Amino acid sequence: MTAPTSTSSPELWSITETAAFLRIPVGTLYQWRHRRTGPRASKVGRHLRYNPADVRAWLEDQAA
């Protein structure tokens, strides 16, 4: 049985996918989360998930 998908909500990225997009180590994302300086993440069960739009917005904000 597969999980339902919604076309209105974006697919969330895992911490590994987010680190690959930003080209940084996964550990850096964990450090940023601990320091509350990185892109916003949500806990889904035991896992961190990132909204790609939030990651891109955070990245744009860092470049400004």
Side-chain angles (χ1 to χ4, degrees):
M1 183 174 195
T2 60
T5 58
S6 173
T7 57
S8 63
S9 64
E11 182 179 333
L12 299 176
W13 288 346
S14 69
I15 194 164
T16 304
E17 292 168 324
T18 305
F21 174 78
L22 295 173
R23 296 182 178 172
I24 60 171
V26 170
T28 300
L29 282 173
Y30 283 120
Q31 288 177 6
W32 287 350
R33 181 164 168 81
H34 178 73
R35 295 176 186 159
R36 299 177 189 217
T37 59
R40 187 172 61 180
S42 300
K43 292 247 343 190
V44 178
R46 296 174 28 187
H47 305 282
L48 289 176
R49 294 292 181 249
Y50 292 83
N51 183 328
D54 290 345
V55 175
R56 289 184 179 102
W58 175 84
L59 189 58
E60 290 287 325
D61 189 48
Q62 298 305 302

